[in-house]
Amino acid sequence: MSTGKKIKTAYTFYNKPLLIKGGKEYFDTLKKLIDESKYFLQIQVYIFEEDQTGREIAEYLKKAAKRGVKIQVLLDGFASRGLSKEFIRSLQEAYIQIRFFEPIFRSRHYYFGRRLHHKIIVSDGYKVIVGGLNISDRYNDLPKQEAWLDYAVLVEGESAFELHKLCQQFFLKKKNIDTLIGKNDVLNAIDPTIHCPIRIRQNDWVMNKNQISGSYMEIFRNAQKDITIMSSYFIPNKFFRKQMAAAAARGIEIKLILAGKSDVGIAKNAERYFYRWALDRGIKIFEYTKTVLDSKLAICDERIVTIGSYNINDISAFASIELNLDIENEFFAKSVNESIKQILDHHTIEIKQMDIKNNYTLYHKLEQWLSYYIFRLIFKVFTFYFSKKSL
C-alpha cells in the first residue's frame, strides 16, 4: 500500500457536526431524521437485520414513504443476506427502492469480492449521519441488552450534499448522475455563521482509492502532542505500524482503545499478537470491557477527528468500500475527547508489559501467532485475489 504521497481532497466548510454515541442515542437520532425528511432519504449500510431494531426502522421508512418521501436503500449483498423475501417485498410495496451490492460470488457461508461497508444516511441532501453502526439489535440499547460501543456524527451542511451525490452514484452504479436537489438549494438553507472544515474520505482499492489510510498517515506525521485511536479488529499492516512507531519515537503519546470482548475470537487473538510490539514502543493499550467495541475513530491533538466505517486492518484497506469523514474543528474534537475520557476512566483496563508476562502463557502466544497468520492467509486467499476481479 503506497500512502507516502499526501492525498488532497477538497474540504467543505459550511458544516455543523454533532457527535452521536451508539445505542438509544443513535437510533433516536436516526428515527428523528427519518421523521423530519421531506423529499428523499438515502440509506447505505453493511448490515440490515430483520430483528426488533430492523423492523422498527423499516416501519419508520414506510411511514416516510407514505408521506411522499423518495427512499433508496443500498445494502451489502452478503452481510444483509438474512433479510426474508417477505421483508424485502414489504419495503418494495411501500415504494421504497432497495438494492443489494453484490460481490463476484457469495453463498450462505462464503464471500468473494468487495464488501459495501458504508454506514451513511442522507436526508434531503442537507443532513447526513456517518459512522460505524449498522441497523441491528446489537447496536441498540434494548431491555435486556446494552448496545455495542460505537459512534457516528450527524452533519448539517455542504458535506451532506456531497454524500448525497456519492450515494446516488453507488445506488445507480454510474458516475454521472442527476442530483435530487440542487446545491444552491442546500447552500441557501445553511446557516452562514456555521463553519467547520470536513472532507469525505474513501477507501476502495479496486477503484484506486486509499484516502482513509492516507488520513491516518497524515495524523501520524503531523501530530504535535497525542493521538487516540479507538478501533475494532485492530490488525495493522506493516506500513501502518511503521508510521505509528515513527510517531511514538517522536514523543507523540499514542493510546489504543481496543476490544476486550469480541464477536470474532480469531480476530481478537490476532489483535493481541501486536500488544508486545506496541508496548515495546511506548504505545498505550486499553481494552474496553463493558460490551463489544465496534467503534472506528481517531482523534489527533484535540483538533482533528476521523470517523466512519474504516477498521484498521487489510480487509478495510484492500477489500471493502469504506467511508470516513475527517473533521477539523476544536469544539467537535473536544466533545469526542470528553466522551472517550469517560470510557477510559470507567470502562477500560490498561494493558501493561507485566500483564502480558504474567497472563500470556506460551500456549496463548502460540494461539495469537497462529490467529494472526491464519487471519492474513484467509484474507489473501479469499478476499484480496477476488477483489481484483469484482469491478
Side-chain angles (χ1 to χ4, degrees):
M1 177 178 65
S2 176
T3 52
K5 187 176 180 180
K6 188 172 181 178
I7 303 167
K8 295 183 179 179
T9 305
Y11 279 86
T12 61
F13 296 93
Y14 294 104
N15 300 291
K16 181 181 177 182
L18 176 68
L19 182 69
I20 304 168
K21 192 176 179 182
K24 185 177 186 299
E25 183 179 336
Y26 174 83
F27 285 100
D28 284 350
T29 303
L30 175 56
K31 288 182 281 190
K32 186 172 185 287
L33 189 74
I34 295 170
D35 274 347
E36 293 178 349
S37 296
K38 296 179 180 179
Y39 309 110
F40 57 88
L41 273 166
Q42 296 157 293
I43 297 176
Q44 297 191 359
V45 294
Y46 181 55
I47 299 170
F48 197 128
E49 289 193 318
E50 196 175 336
D51 52 17
Q52 179 180 331
T53 300
R55 291 191 298 271
E56 185 177 15
I57 295 302
E59 290 305 311
Y60 272 81
L61 293 175
K62 291 174 189 177
K63 290 176 185 177
K66 193 173 182 179
R67 299 196 313 268
V69 178
K70 182 177 181 179
I71 302 175
Q72 296 173 344
V73 178
L74 179 62
L75 307 175
D76 184 75
F78 179 74
S80 296
R81 68 194 184 281
L83 295 180
S84 68
K85 292 180 180 179
E86 293 75 18
F87 184 85
I88 295 167
R89 189 182 303 115
S90 73
L91 294 175
Q92 293 171 333
E93 289 174 351
Y95 300 101
I96 295 169
Q97 295 176 280
I98 183 167
R99 191 173 75 76
F100 289 87
F101 183 89
E102 297 288 356
I104 189 169
F105 173 77
R106 71 180 175 92
S107 73
R108 299 293 296 183
H109 306 290
Y110 300 100
Y111 180 100
F112 297 143
R114 292 141 82 209
R115 306 182 304 165
L116 181 76
H117 206 231
H118 286 177
K119 286 90 176 180
I120 311 169
I121 299 96
V122 186
S123 171
D124 296 335
Y126 175 67
K127 292 184 180 180
V128 64
I129 298 175
V130 173
L133 293 94
N134 294 291
I135 298 174
S136 166
D137 281 351
R138 74 192 76 169
Y139 299 92
N140 202 359
D141 290 314
L142 299 174
K144 295 183 180 180
Q145 171 194 292
E146 189 168 354
W148 289 7
L149 177 64
D150 216 328
Y151 286 94
V153 58
L154 171 67
V155 179
E156 299 179 25
E158 282 186 277
S159 290
F161 179 76
E162 297 304 318
L163 286 168
H164 157 56
K165 292 194 297 184
L166 184 68
C167 287
Q168 276 284 88
Q169 290 169 350
F170 272 95
F171 191 83
L172 299 175
K173 296 192 285 187
K174 59 183 181 180
K175 289 187 177 181
N176 298 319
I177 50 94
D178 293 324
T179 58
L180 299 174
I181 191 171
K183 186 170 184 178
N184 287 337
D185 295 326
V186 173
L187 293 176
N188 290 335
I190 294 173
D191 181 349
T193 63
I194 65 173
H195 185 275
C196 175
I198 294 179
R199 63 179 175 178
I200 297 164
R201 305 294 268 173
Q202 299 177 70
N203 255 59
D204 185 353
W205 183 81
V206 171
M207 301 306 293
N208 198 31
K209 292 182 178 179
N210 62 345
Q211 296 170 344
I212 307 172
S213 303
S215 288
Y216 274 97
M217 297 310 107
E218 289 178 20
I219 285 172
F220 288 136
R221 292 168 183 167
N222 299 329
Q224 300 297 310
K225 185 177 63 173
D226 55 51
I227 301 166
T228 300
I229 297 172
M230 183 179 283
S231 176
S232 54
Y233 319 115
F234 183 81
I235 308 172
N237 59 36
K238 185 176 180 180
F239 187 82
F240 192 102
R241 297 198 306 273
K242 180 180 178 181
Q243 299 303 317
M244 185 164 57
R250 287 194 293 112
I252 304 302
E253 182 183 58
I254 300 177
K255 297 176 184 175
L256 303 177
I257 305 173
L258 309 177
K261 305 173 184 179
S262 179
D263 61 317
V264 184
I266 189 172
K268 185 64 238 181
N269 282 327
E271 203 173 60
R272 287 185 172 131
Y273 176 72
F274 288 105
Y275 281 14
R276 289 180 293 279
W277 176 91
L279 292 171
D280 285 345
R281 287 154 181 80
I283 297 168
K284 295 181 179 180
I285 299 173
F286 301 83
E287 286 190 349
Y288 176 72
T289 58
K290 195 175 183 183
T291 59
V292 173
L293 184 148
D294 196 56
S295 183
K296 310 149 185 69
L297 65 83
I299 179 170
C300 175
D301 294 337
E302 207 168 273
R303 183 176 61 89
I304 299 172
V305 176
T306 186
I307 182 171
S309 67
Y310 183 84
N311 290 307
I312 298 171
N313 56 49
D314 280 348
I315 292 176
S316 278
F318 295 116
S320 297
I321 301 172
E322 307 281 3
L323 188 135
N324 271 32
L325 295 182
D326 288 355
I327 303 171
E328 296 194 20
N329 179 274
E330 290 183 6
F331 182 80
F332 178 75
K334 185 177 180 180
S335 71
V336 176
N337 207 45
E338 288 174 352
S339 185
I340 289 176
K341 187 177 185 303
Q342 290 296 314
I343 289 165
L344 281 171
D345 289 346
H346 300 291
H347 302 300
T348 67
I349 56 170
E350 184 173 2
I351 306 299
K352 296 184 178 291
Q353 290 279 17
M354 190 59 67
D355 298 319
I356 292 177
K357 184 177 180 181
N358 292 339
N359 299 330
Y360 292 170
T361 64
L362 180 61
Y363 169 80
H364 290 119
K365 293 176 183 178
L366 179 61
E367 183 181 39
Q368 291 161 12
W369 180 85
L370 284 172
S371 295
Y372 171 70
Y373 282 101
I374 290 171
F375 184 90
R376 287 189 59 82
L377 178 63
I378 292 171
F379 165 74
K380 286 183 177 180
V381 172
F382 293 107
T383 311
F384 183 74
Y385 173 76
F386 285 97
S387 70
K388 294 190 284 187
K389 300 178 178 294
S390 60
L391 288 168

